[in-house]
Amino acid sequence: MLADDAAVIVVALSPQEADRVLARDRFDLVLLDLSFRGNATTGLDLLDSIHSSEPTAHVIILSMYDDQNLQENVRRKGARGFVSKSAPPSQVREALRAVDTGGVWFPKSASSHRLTPRQWTIVNELSAGKSEKEVAKVLGVAVRTVEFHLAKAREAIGARTTGELLSHCAALGSLLETPPRRCPDRTP
């Protein structure tokens, strides 16, 4: 428990070290970073491992990506909370207390970062090396429709350019359990 903010803190700097610590010690609460510098293993991989070895442990995910899709994914995988690395310390404490006492803590602010399934489809096609014109042809829509969806996706993510959008989504997509699938277009 985090009574009076007293806690035993253990830091693991790699997935392998985290696995060793989790095998050796029991934890009630884990603040798990989604990315490990220079390592292909993600916090999502460790989340599964934590739930296997310590099913009663409550896990809060810490991520630089404040994204609704990612939050939903970690919630489905059993995380009890999600905190952005840009969150103020008071918000981190609030999340730790809420989850430690059996609650959940997911911020509401990330909803503006959510891409529609159509936007994800276009981003995936562009990431595969297709031009906007080729994407339009594959999807059976006008090039202007692709441009419209890209503008809305850049706005949702806060990217200034399509390159920035693709870079952000590539990093985020690698953290999603299953990349968004294509779906029928509902917008012009």
PDB file of all heavy atoms in Angstrom, residues 169-186:
ATOM      1  N   CYS A 169       2.825   7.494 -35.959  1.00  0.00           N
ATOM      2  CA  CYS A 169       1.958   6.312 -36.064  1.00  0.00           C
ATOM      3  C   CYS A 169       2.768   5.029 -36.171  1.00  0.00           C
ATOM      4  O   CYS A 169       2.346   3.992 -35.666  1.00  0.00           O
ATOM      5  CB  CYS A 169       1.009   6.455 -37.249  1.00  0.00           C
ATOM      6  SG  CYS A 169      -0.253   7.719 -36.971  1.00  0.00           S
ATOM      7  N   ALA A 170       3.939   5.087 -36.799  1.00  0.00           N
ATOM      8  CA  ALA A 170       4.793   3.897 -36.879  1.00  0.00           C
ATOM      9  C   ALA A 170       5.243   3.497 -35.483  1.00  0.00           C
ATOM     10  O   ALA A 170       5.204   2.322 -35.114  1.00  0.00           O
ATOM     11  CB  ALA A 170       5.995   4.165 -37.774  1.00  0.00           C
ATOM     12  N   ALA A 171       5.648   4.468 -34.680  1.00  0.00           N
ATOM     13  CA  ALA A 171       6.069   4.172 -33.308  1.00  0.00           C
ATOM     14  C   ALA A 171       4.888   3.659 -32.496  1.00  0.00           C
ATOM     15  O   ALA A 171       4.998   2.693 -31.757  1.00  0.00           O
ATOM     16  CB  ALA A 171       6.664   5.412 -32.665  1.00  0.00           C
ATOM     17  N   LEU A 172       3.747   4.297 -32.640  1.00  0.00           N
ATOM     18  CA  LEU A 172       2.566   3.888 -31.899  1.00  0.00           C
ATOM     19  C   LEU A 172       2.078   2.529 -32.364  1.00  0.00           C
ATOM     20  O   LEU A 172       1.749   1.664 -31.559  1.00  0.00           O
ATOM     21  CB  LEU A 172       1.451   4.916 -32.067  1.00  0.00           C
ATOM     22  CG  LEU A 172       0.126   4.585 -31.405  1.00  0.00           C
ATOM     23  CD1 LEU A 172       0.306   4.479 -29.903  1.00  0.00           C
ATOM     24  CD2 LEU A 172      -0.908   5.629 -31.745  1.00  0.00           C
ATOM     25  N   GLY A 173       2.055   2.319 -33.671  1.00  0.00           N
ATOM     26  CA  GLY A 173       1.573   1.051 -34.226  1.00  0.00           C
ATOM     27  C   GLY A 173       2.358  -0.139 -33.732  1.00  0.00           C
ATOM     28  O   GLY A 173       1.821  -1.217 -33.536  1.00  0.00           O
ATOM     29  N   SER A 174       3.653   0.053 -33.496  1.00  0.00           N
ATOM     30  CA  SER A 174       4.471  -1.053 -33.001  1.00  0.00           C
ATOM     31  C   SER A 174       4.100  -1.400 -31.567  1.00  0.00           C
ATOM     32  O   SER A 174       4.443  -2.465 -31.082  1.00  0.00           O
ATOM     33  CB  SER A 174       5.956  -0.712 -33.100  1.00  0.00           C
ATOM     34  OG  SER A 174       6.298   0.285 -32.171  1.00  0.00           O
ATOM     35  N   LEU A 175       3.387  -0.519 -30.879  1.00  0.00           N
ATOM     36  CA  LEU A 175       2.974  -0.793 -29.510  1.00  0.00           C
ATOM     37  C   LEU A 175       1.562  -1.351 -29.428  1.00  0.00           C
ATOM     38  O   LEU A 175       1.143  -1.815 -28.383  1.00  0.00           O
ATOM     39  CB  LEU A 175       3.048   0.488 -28.670  1.00  0.00           C
ATOM     40  CG  LEU A 175       4.431   1.087 -28.506  1.00  0.00           C
ATOM     41  CD1 LEU A 175       4.335   2.417 -27.779  1.00  0.00           C
ATOM     42  CD2 LEU A 175       5.340   0.143 -27.762  1.00  0.00           C
ATOM     43  N   LEU A 176       0.828  -1.287 -30.517  1.00  0.00           N
ATOM     44  CA  LEU A 176      -0.538  -1.799 -30.512  1.00  0.00           C
ATOM     45  C   LEU A 176      -0.520  -3.308 -30.724  1.00  0.00           C
ATOM     46  O   LEU A 176       0.264  -3.835 -31.502  1.00  0.00           O
ATOM     47  CB  LEU A 176      -1.375  -1.139 -31.611  1.00  0.00           C
ATOM     48  CG  LEU A 176      -1.638   0.345 -31.427  1.00  0.00           C
ATOM     49  CD1 LEU A 176      -2.370   0.895 -32.639  1.00  0.00           C
ATOM     50  CD2 LEU A 176      -2.432   0.611 -30.178  1.00  0.00           C
ATOM     51  N   GLU A 177      -1.379  -4.005 -30.022  1.00  0.00           N
ATOM     52  CA  GLU A 177      -1.445  -5.461 -30.122  1.00  0.00           C
ATOM     53  C   GLU A 177      -1.796  -5.874 -31.545  1.00  0.00           C
ATOM     54  O   GLU A 177      -1.173  -6.736 -32.124  1.00  0.00           O
ATOM     55  CB  GLU A 177      -2.505  -5.971 -29.154  1.00  0.00           C
ATOM     56  CG  GLU A 177      -2.629  -7.460 -29.134  1.00  0.00           C
ATOM     57  CD  GLU A 177      -3.632  -7.878 -28.093  1.00  0.00           C
ATOM     58  OE1 GLU A 177      -3.358  -7.685 -26.898  1.00  0.00           O
ATOM     59  OE2 GLU A 177      -4.684  -8.381 -28.489  1.00  0.00           O
ATOM     60  N   THR A 178      -2.822  -5.291 -32.091  1.00  0.00           N
ATOM     61  CA  THR A 178      -3.213  -5.561 -33.461  1.00  0.00           C
ATOM     62  C   THR A 178      -3.426  -4.235 -34.150  1.00  0.00           C
ATOM     63  O   THR A 178      -4.215  -3.418 -33.689  1.00  0.00           O
ATOM     64  CB  THR A 178      -4.524  -6.373 -33.531  1.00  0.00           C
ATOM     65  OG1 THR A 178      -5.438  -5.842 -32.584  1.00  0.00           O
ATOM     66  CG2 THR A 178      -4.309  -7.826 -33.276  1.00  0.00           C
ATOM     67  N   PRO A 179      -2.695  -4.002 -35.248  1.00  0.00           N
ATOM     68  CA  PRO A 179      -2.881  -2.743 -35.951  1.00  0.00           C
ATOM     69  C   PRO A 179      -4.333  -2.602 -36.408  1.00  0.00           C
ATOM     70  O   PRO A 179      -4.988  -3.593 -36.700  1.00  0.00           O
ATOM     71  CB  PRO A 179      -1.950  -2.864 -37.163  1.00  0.00           C
ATOM     72  CG  PRO A 179      -0.996  -3.953 -36.815  1.00  0.00           C
ATOM     73  CD  PRO A 179      -1.717  -4.855 -35.861  1.00  0.00           C
ATOM     74  N   PRO A 180      -4.834  -1.389 -36.445  1.00  0.00           N
ATOM     75  CA  PRO A 180      -6.209  -1.181 -36.897  1.00  0.00           C
ATOM     76  C   PRO A 180      -6.423  -1.759 -38.291  1.00  0.00           C
ATOM     77  O   PRO A 180      -5.530  -1.692 -39.129  1.00  0.00           O
ATOM     78  CB  PRO A 180      -6.348   0.338 -36.900  1.00  0.00           C
ATOM     79  CG  PRO A 180      -5.293   0.803 -35.955  1.00  0.00           C
ATOM     80  CD  PRO A 180      -4.173  -0.166 -36.077  1.00  0.00           C
ATOM     81  N   ARG A 181      -7.584  -2.333 -38.514  1.00  0.00           N
ATOM     82  CA  ARG A 181      -7.907  -2.928 -39.812  1.00  0.00           C
ATOM     83  C   ARG A 181      -8.634  -1.930 -40.689  1.00  0.00           C
ATOM     84  O   ARG A 181      -9.173  -0.952 -40.234  1.00  0.00           O
ATOM     85  CB  ARG A 181      -8.798  -4.141 -39.602  1.00  0.00           C
ATOM     86  CG  ARG A 181      -8.104  -5.201 -38.823  1.00  0.00           C
ATOM     87  CD  ARG A 181      -8.973  -6.410 -38.733  1.00  0.00           C
ATOM     88  NE  ARG A 181      -8.328  -7.300 -37.780  1.00  0.00           N
ATOM     89  CZ  ARG A 181      -8.925  -8.284 -37.190  1.00  0.00           C
ATOM     90  NH1 ARG A 181     -10.174  -8.535 -37.441  1.00  0.00           N
ATOM     91  NH2 ARG A 181      -8.284  -9.036 -36.342  1.00  0.00           N
ATOM     92  N   ARG A 182      -8.679  -2.276 -41.956  1.00  0.00           N
ATOM     93  CA  ARG A 182      -9.444  -1.455 -42.893  1.00  0.00           C
ATOM     94  C   ARG A 182     -10.924  -1.581 -42.575  1.00  0.00           C
ATOM     95  O   ARG A 182     -11.388  -2.607 -42.123  1.00  0.00           O
ATOM     96  CB  ARG A 182      -9.220  -1.933 -44.322  1.00  0.00           C
ATOM     97  CG  ARG A 182      -7.821  -1.733 -44.793  1.00  0.00           C
ATOM     98  CD  ARG A 182      -7.702  -2.261 -46.184  1.00  0.00           C
ATOM     99  NE  ARG A 182      -6.289  -2.292 -46.510  1.00  0.00           N
ATOM    100  CZ  ARG A 182      -5.836  -2.077 -47.704  1.00  0.00           C
ATOM    101  NH1 ARG A 182      -6.636  -1.813 -48.697  1.00  0.00           N
ATOM    102  NH2 ARG A 182      -4.557  -2.121 -47.936  1.00  0.00           N
ATOM    103  N   CYS A 183     -11.635  -0.538 -42.851  1.00  0.00           N
ATOM    104  CA  CYS A 183     -13.089  -0.592 -42.650  1.00  0.00           C
ATOM    105  C   CYS A 183     -13.744   0.321 -43.690  1.00  0.00           C
ATOM    106  O   CYS A 183     -13.079   1.150 -44.278  1.00  0.00           O
ATOM    107  CB  CYS A 183     -13.458  -0.165 -41.241  1.00  0.00           C
ATOM    108  SG  CYS A 183     -13.251   1.574 -40.960  1.00  0.00           S
ATOM    109  N   PRO A 184     -15.026   0.177 -43.894  1.00  0.00           N
ATOM    110  CA  PRO A 184     -15.709   1.027 -44.859  1.00  0.00           C
ATOM    111  C   PRO A 184     -15.590   2.495 -44.472  1.00  0.00           C
ATOM    112  O   PRO A 184     -15.629   2.848 -43.305  1.00  0.00           O
ATOM    113  CB  PRO A 184     -17.170   0.569 -44.796  1.00  0.00           C
ATOM    114  CG  PRO A 184     -17.148  -0.738 -44.103  1.00  0.00           C
ATOM    115  CD  PRO A 184     -15.914  -0.768 -43.263  1.00  0.00           C
ATOM    116  N   ASP A 185     -15.452   3.333 -45.473  1.00  0.00           N
ATOM    117  CA  ASP A 185     -15.348   4.765 -45.242  1.00  0.00           C
ATOM    118  C   ASP A 185     -16.726   5.333 -44.935  1.00  0.00           C
ATOM    119  O   ASP A 185     -17.686   5.014 -45.615  1.00  0.00           O
ATOM    120  CB  ASP A 185     -14.763   5.434 -46.494  1.00  0.00           C
ATOM    121  CG  ASP A 185     -14.348   6.852 -46.224  1.00  0.00           C
ATOM    122  OD1 ASP A 185     -14.400   7.307 -45.076  1.00  0.00           O
ATOM    123  OD2 ASP A 185     -13.958   7.503 -47.193  1.00  0.00           O
ATOM    124  N   ARG A 186     -16.809   6.158 -43.904  1.00  0.00           N
ATOM    125  CA  ARG A 186     -18.098   6.761 -43.538  1.00  0.00           C
ATOM    126  C   ARG A 186     -18.106   8.266 -43.778  1.00  0.00           C
ATOM    127  O   ARG A 186     -19.050   8.935 -43.456  1.00  0.00           O
ATOM    128  CB  ARG A 186     -18.398   6.510 -42.071  1.00  0.00           C
ATOM    129  CG  ARG A 186     -18.580   5.056 -41.781  1.00  0.00           C
ATOM    130  CD  ARG A 186     -18.969   4.879 -40.357  1.00  0.00           C
ATOM    131  NE  ARG A 186     -18.646   3.513 -39.991  1.00  0.00           N
ATOM    132  CZ  ARG A 186     -18.530   3.097 -38.765  1.00  0.00           C
ATOM    133  NH1 ARG A 186     -18.738   3.904 -37.775  1.00  0.00           N
ATOM    134  NH2 ARG A 186     -18.243   1.850 -38.520  1.00  0.00           N
TER     135      ARG A 186
END
